[in-house]
Structures are given as C-alpha cells and as structure tokens.
Amino acid sequence: MNTNVTKNPIPAFGLGTFRLKGQVVIDSVKNGLDVGYRTIDTAQIYGNEAEVGQAIAESGVARESLFITTKIWTDNYAKSKLVPSLKDSLAKLCTDHVDLTLIHWPSPGNAVPVAEFMGALAEAKAQGLTKHIGVSNFNIALMKEAIAAVGAQNIATNQIELHPYLQNRKVAEFAKSAGIHITSYMTLAYGKVINDPVIEAIAKAHGATTAQVVLAWAMQLGYAVIPSSTKRANLEGNLKALQLTLTDAEMAQIAALDRNERLTDPAGLSPAWD
C-alpha cells in the first residue's frame, strides 16, 4: 500500500467525463453518483461543465460529500483571465468552489509563462475558489518550473496519460520524489488493454473484469484513476476495483506490458515527453 495515498487530498477513484456531452454526460454523472461515486472530473474544454453541474444538482447528493475537479483551458492562462474563467466554471457547475483545479496542458509555445499561470492558480486558491491546485500533462521540466513558482506542497497532482502500455515511470518517479500525487487518465487506454491476454488471465484468477484489474493495478501503485463510462453496469463494475488486490507477481506481469504507447499527443499542446 502506498503510504502517500492517505496523506494526499486526491481521492483514489473518480468519474471522468472526457468526450461526454449533453444528456449522455448528465446520465453518466447521475448514474455514477447513484451507484456511489463521489469524485467527478471535468474541464473547461470538455464543454460539459453546465451539464455536470445540472446532474450534481439533480442528484440530491450533498455538495460537501463531493470532490469536483475542473481544468483551466490554455486560452485562459493569462493572469487577467484565469480567475474570471474559473468563476465562470463555478457558475456552470452550480457551486461556489471546486475541490481541485488543474492547468490542462502546458501553454502552447510558452505564450504564458508557467510562473504566471501557476501564480494565478494560487490566487484562485487564496480566494477560496478551489481547495487544491495542480497540473496536467506536465513533463519533468515543467513540473520543476511549477514547483519553483508555487512550491511542491501546493501542487496536489499531475494528471497524465498512464496505463499498462504507457507507464510513464520517469514522470511518476519524479513526481513521487517531489511529493506530488499522480492521477492516471485513460487508464484503460481507450479500452485497448482490456483484451490483453496477460490481464485477461489475471482477471480470470480473481473472478474480476479486466477493467477492474487495470484500475486496481494503477491504484495499487498509488495513483488516482478517473475512468468514464456511459453504462451503469460498467460504472458499478469499475467501482469494484477498490476491493481488488493483486499479488506482487501479478503487478510484475502488468509492469512488463509497458511499451511506451502514447495515445494522446496533440500537436501544439504536448510538451517534449520524458
């Protein structure tokens, strides 16, 4: 068990909403909350904050029992824009604060310096608009800049693509050494890993689904996960990964699947990956 998990404010298991729009995201969030999820991850660029806010409001789940994350889009990194854009997100989400606000991608072409947007994010935290702040899709060099700007203790997480085929060990190890938590997104690699024969064999041994095995693997390494699903049965199934513990041998088998297969690498946004 990773000892950092208990100290870190980031819940181990959440519900992602990437690519979900309109009624689809409303249903996903409502179903997720109904089956027991309490952590919801969205972003300004997803174009679904208002629907996520509506689903939360209609769910009847108390705000104080929820952990809501959003991410600032690159257009809003300037000091004059970041806080107003977050206030706009809060209005859409029907809340006076979020629990975590992330910088979504590095500033394209370094148009806004890291120190400027991290400073603005720290100001948002000081104003009570967000309880925690962090980054997403940052390489080691960018994490170092963010640490220099606001201190590692003020960076709750770095949310990165991380799955059995892309285990991102250099970034994860640096983050851990700095006391920064890792959140894994695309933990199932768009579903690619759920048909992997190694993972299928482990799942069979536990009477579990392959998705549960992969999510349990990531959490056992100390990472937070935020899988999304539009199907209630899958939402329920994924949540059961919290009860699954893999053996050291099984963890080693999954560790051996790493092949540096990156699925998210948008031109003009991605940093020079480690």
Side-chain angles (χ1 to χ4, degrees):
M1 187 69 182
N2 186 314
T3 52
N4 289 338
V5 173
T6 49
K7 288 188 291 181
N8 197 279
I10 311 297
F13 204 99
L15 180 66
T17 62
F18 177 53
R19 290 184 163 174
L20 305 184
K21 304 266 188 180
Q23 192 61 43
V24 173
V25 77
I26 291 169
D27 291 344
S28 176
V29 172
K30 275 186 162 178
N31 279 321
L33 292 170
D34 197 40
V35 301
Y37 288 77
R38 289 297 178 265
T39 300
I40 312 289
D41 181 281
T42 183
Q44 291 176 342
I45 198 65
Y46 295 175
N48 64 13
E49 288 174 315
E51 287 81 1
V52 169
Q54 180 187 333
I56 290 169
E58 291 175 0
S59 73
V61 175
R63 173 66 186 92
E64 56 269 23
S65 65
L66 295 173
F67 190 101
I68 303 172
T69 299
T70 195
K71 308 176 199 80
I72 306 291
W73 188 241
T74 56
D75 295 350
N76 299 322
Y77 287 176
K79 186 173 169 53
S80 61
K81 291 184 178 177
L82 192 146
V83 166
S85 82
L86 181 55
K87 286 179 177 174
D88 185 49
S89 291
L90 297 180
K92 289 174 180 170
L93 288 162
C94 308
T95 184
D96 61 357
H97 74 282
V98 283
D99 298 276
L100 176 64
T101 304
L102 306 179
I103 294 295
H104 204 153
W105 285 91
S107 181
N110 200 32
V112 181
V114 173
E116 181 176 338
F117 60 64
M118 290 309 296
L121 204 53
E123 176 56 31
K125 182 180 175 182
Q127 289 184 26
L129 304 175
T130 183
K131 287 186 178 178
H132 306 282
I133 63 174
V135 297
S136 182
N137 299 299
F138 272 35
N139 61 12
I140 293 171
L142 287 161
M143 277 196 284
K144 286 178 177 175
E145 281 194 69
I147 289 165
V150 297
Q153 73 279 9
N154 289 311
I155 303 170
T157 197
N158 183 9
Q159 187 178 121
I160 55 173
E161 179 185 343
L162 192 151
H163 46 74
Y165 296 160
L166 178 75
Q167 298 188 21
N168 234 323
R169 290 194 182 102
K170 285 181 183 173
V171 170
E173 282 163 15
F174 174 80
K176 188 177 180 182
S177 72
I180 296 171
H181 195 57
I182 289 289
T183 300
S184 154
Y185 74 76
M186 283 178 38
T187 317
L188 305 177
Y190 285 143
K192 289 182 94 167
V193 296
I194 60 176
N195 297 315
D196 187 284
V198 171
I199 293 166
E200 284 180 335
I202 295 169
K204 193 174 179 186
H206 287 273
T209 67
T210 48
Q212 286 162 4
V213 168
V214 176
L215 295 168
W217 161 80
M219 287 188 285
Q220 221 162 304
L221 289 171
Y223 310 143
V225 295
I226 45 169
S228 65
S229 181
T230 56
K231 297 186 176 73
R232 186 181 175 100
N234 289 347
L235 289 166
E236 285 185 292
N238 289 347
L239 207 50
K240 290 177 183 167
L242 285 161
Q243 276 84 55
L244 180 60
T245 303
L246 306 181
T247 66
D248 290 348
E250 289 165 343
M251 292 294 287
Q253 284 180 291
I254 299 174
L257 297 176
D258 193 10
R259 56 194 195 203
N260 203 35
E261 185 179 343
R262 189 176 296 279
L263 302 175
T264 303
D265 196 17
L269 283 176
S270 299
W273 301 111
D274 295 295

